[in-house]
Amino acid sequence: MQLTLGPVLYHWQPEHWRDFYFRIADEAPVDTVVVGEAVCSKRTPFKQDHIPAVVERLEAAGKRVLHASLILVSLPRERRQTRELMQAAEAEVEINDLTCLASLGERPFAVGPFVNVYNEAAAGFLAARGASRICLPPELPLPAVASIAAALPQVAIEVFAFGKVPLAISARCYHARAHKLTKDNCRFVCEQDPDGMPVATLDGAGFLSINGVQTLSHGAACLLGDIPALREAGVAALRLSPQDCDMVAVARLFREVVDGRLDAGEAEHRLGALYPDVPLANGFLHAAPGHVHVRAGV
């Protein structure tokens, strides 16, 4: 079972973003790394000059690199950028919006967890178009994951195994609105929250996290205890979504559990220390509310 590091969803400072991937290249036991801006096209200029060096460093370390598309393509500028990415001969791409298909031609591609692949028919359609790997949406329960994997043995099926769960994307920027700014004049206030802006209920309970135009869960998905069941279901890879914590250490924990060198319970305990104050959950995989944590074997 392989490990994939998904794209950084947050607006980190450019040098921090670059150095994060340099360290991933040098130290993290992951097989595939997804780079690029997936959430907000206004952030792209901050990192585009660093992407060639990041890709070179990752590939030199033996890691497969995928280039992420935007989750929501709406503006003419975004359509042009997406078309250029899909047609870039040197880039392996991961699509997060079905509009990408119009520009791909016959090229093989990967599918990110933001595309609604909820059943075998949807996965089969994408496979027929050239999808070689599909990261399923994080809200799918295990029986659905197993059914899709069994129906498409030629496609590498991946599940979202760690990180705040992406729930929605919008054309409006919640971060800007919260700071009484417009989207066009947002001043990039999302950089103030490198792990998302917490949103609480009227009673003060943690509810959601806001990341610009994106809504994420308050807690973080953690499927460490479900790895045996996922392997039995035919899952080929686990996706780790970068958070504002030591992601090299997180990747090492998952690698040790996958390889049978560490007990999942102990790994979850250590993960809690690496990413404190954020509840861990796996409810979606067990057909329960997403914020619930279901112990292995229950």
Side-chain angles (χ1 to χ4, degrees):
M1 185 177 283
Q2 295 190 340
L3 296 181
T4 298
L5 185 77
V8 174
L9 299 177
Y10 308 102
H11 185 34
W12 292 352
Q13 288 291 323
E15 292 74 19
H16 175 53
W17 183 89
R18 175 201 62 198
D19 293 344
F20 167 80
Y21 280 108
F22 281 179
R23 185 168 179 239
I24 291 296
D26 297 343
E27 302 178 38
V30 297
D31 305 280
T32 301
V33 180
V34 188
V35 301
E37 179 56 49
V39 175
C40 177
S41 63
K42 291 182 65 176
R43 302 173 181 175
T44 301
F46 291 92
K47 58 175 64 75
Q48 63 185 6
D49 290 342
H50 293 304
I51 287 179
V54 163
V55 172
E56 181 180 7
R57 184 81 159 253
L58 289 166
E59 291 181 340
K63 293 170 172 55
R64 180 184 185 184
V65 177
L66 300 175
H67 296 257
S69 81
L70 284 171
I71 301 170
L72 178 63
V73 180
S74 56
L75 301 174
R77 165 176 49 82
E78 294 169 347
R79 293 197 293 271
R80 183 180 66 255
Q81 292 172 346
T82 299
R83 183 170 59 252
E84 291 172 353
L85 175 62
M86 295 302 108
Q87 295 174 350
E90 72 282 2
E92 283 193 86
V93 297
E94 177 175 277
I95 70 167
N96 293 307
D97 186 311
L98 288 181
T99 59
C100 297
L101 294 177
S103 305
L104 273 170
E106 301 298 322
R107 295 177 58 191
F109 59 94
V111 179
F114 310 99
V115 177
N116 294 334
V117 183
Y118 290 139
N119 52 49
E120 302 92 323
F125 167 80
L126 291 168
R129 291 295 302 266
S132 59
R133 61 190 298 135
I134 299 174
C135 183
L136 298 176
E139 62 268 30
L140 278 182
L142 184 60
V145 173
S147 294
I148 294 171
L152 296 162
Q154 76 279 18
V155 176
I157 297 298
E158 182 174 298
V159 297
F160 191 98
F162 172 76
K164 291 187 177 181
V165 179
L167 301 174
I169 193 81
S170 172
R172 295 188 176 186
C173 181
Y174 308 113
H175 245 110
R177 186 176 180 86
H179 289 268
K180 296 181 170 52
L181 299 169
T182 65
K183 182 179 180 182
D184 289 340
N185 187 33
C186 66
R187 303 178 191 173
F188 299 98
V189 290
C190 53
E191 70 181 3
Q192 298 175 14
D193 299 293
D195 213 40
M197 180 176 66
V199 177
T201 66
L202 292 177
D203 296 326
F207 178 46
L208 297 170
S209 296
I210 297 303
N211 173 38
V213 296
Q214 185 182 43
T215 304
L216 302 161
S217 63
H218 165 67
C222 174
L223 304 189
L224 280 166
D226 301 295
I227 288 175
L230 291 168
R231 181 184 280 116
E232 180 67 21
V235 171
L238 304 176
R239 174 165 298 219
L240 314 178
S241 185
Q243 305 297 151
D244 190 28
C245 64
D246 188 345
M247 288 301 300
V248 169
V250 171
R252 287 173 177 165
L253 286 177
F254 272 85
R255 185 76 267 166
E256 290 184 15
V257 174
V258 167
D259 292 345
R261 301 194 305 269
L262 182 64
D263 174 73
E266 174 62 22
E268 280 197 12
H269 175 73
R270 296 183 190 179
L271 182 58
L274 288 170
Y275 198 37
D277 305 320
V278 178
L280 303 179
N282 62 350
F284 282 138
L285 193 69
H286 295 269
H291 69 276
V292 171
H293 184 271
V294 179
R295 290 184 291 112
V298 175

